[in-house]
Amino acid sequence: FRVEKGEVYTMLGPSGCGKTTSLRSVAGLETPDAGRIALNERTVYSSKDRLNLPPEKRNIGMVFQSYAIWPHMTVAKNVAYPLQGRGLSTEEARRRVSRALEIVGLLDLADRPSPNLSGGQQQRVALARAIVFRPAVLLLDEPLGALDQKLRKEVQVELKDLQRELGITFIFVTHDQEEALTMSDRLAVFHRGSIVQVGSPAAVYEHPATAFVAGFVGSSNLISAASAQALLGRSGRFAIRPEKIRLGEPTDKVGADEHSTLGRIKTVVYLGAETRFIIALDIGGELMVTQQNLRESSMEALAAQGRAVRLTWKRGHVLTLADEPQGATA
């Protein structure tokens, strides 16, 4: 794969799929069996040429999920640590540390002992330490995994703003699909050691290449070959996003550009901003439907379990899926 200068490139996939190994190979913390790795067209690893530069020679910053903050140092000393041995004057090093802390909003905590920080503040210290020497690439290995959900969402926005301000290339590893969609310019979906799709968040979500991608990036109703003929009038492997399906009365009319089927509400789950319905279809099987809670009265009207409903969706919202790569399963 190739990461463009100044973009946020996310490796997304379940645990054990190879994304962290790939990231550590870029960093020089793992040695690949074969291949080539180049940063700004400068080769840092080549099996053919027997070249393998150590991490400190690659001009890369890295932020781990654990943050790896030195507990015996202050905030400022933690951030200054990567500047040792780089030939900077004391004044220049002090200036860079202050600027890095200012960027992450911790300048007023420069002299605070590191153990006296919250999880979010420790994450910011790790970021400041990673950018203080102005790396060409910043590698982030699930850096927000230890944060609570509210703080995680806040830091996602801050990270994106920081990346835009500094213009540093980010390579981001996560198994959280919402985080990947929020953070990325492009994302690569990993599955069992292979990249199965690369594209913008919108492209991957709206046009998943395989059943695995459709199920992993967001929620999807995967239509089996046995059901496809009855539901869609054709054979193949298909998916429909739950939010693309409209619930209505059984007598509702169906447009010429729409598919439709009948069913009964089996389960209703209220999620605040939306409601999730599981519909038992008259033809057999189930479909999941999500609807935004924009009109409370309409939600209440449809929420009765056992109620007969019509499910309708645009023909253009049916996703055609390719076969899974050899050796992978959905």
Side-chain angles (χ1 to χ4, degrees), residues 24-32 36-39 41-47 49-60:
R24 289 175 60 86
S25 296
V26 174
L29 300 175
E30 298 277 0
T31 302
R36 175 176 174 265
I37 300 171
L39 300 170
E41 309 303 332
R42 174 190 177 218
T43 300
V44 296
Y45 169 77
S46 172
S47 59
D49 299 327
R50 297 184 178 180
L51 172 66
N52 189 17
L53 293 183
E56 64 271 18
K57 300 291 186 180
R58 297 192 181 195
N59 195 25
I60 286 176

Side-chain angles (χ1 to χ4, degrees), residues 61-64 67 69 79 82 100-101 103-104 106 120-135 138-140 143-144 147 155-156 158-160 162-163 166 168 170 172 183:
M62 192 162 185
V63 180
F64 300 92
Y67 309 144
I69 301 299
V79 175
L101 288 174
I103 288 172
V104 300
L106 291 180
Q121 289 169 336
Q122 289 186 38
Q123 190 264 355
R124 288 175 172 84
V125 172
L127 278 173
R129 186 178 58 190
I131 65 175
V132 71
F133 63 95
R134 301 172 184 173
L138 184 59
L139 309 180
L140 302 106
L144 311 184
L147 304 182
V155 176
Q156 285 173 6
E158 292 175 0
L159 263 179
K160 189 69 174 174
L162 176 65
Q163 189 271 337
L166 299 178
I168 296 175
F170 277 19
F172 196 93
M183 294 290 300

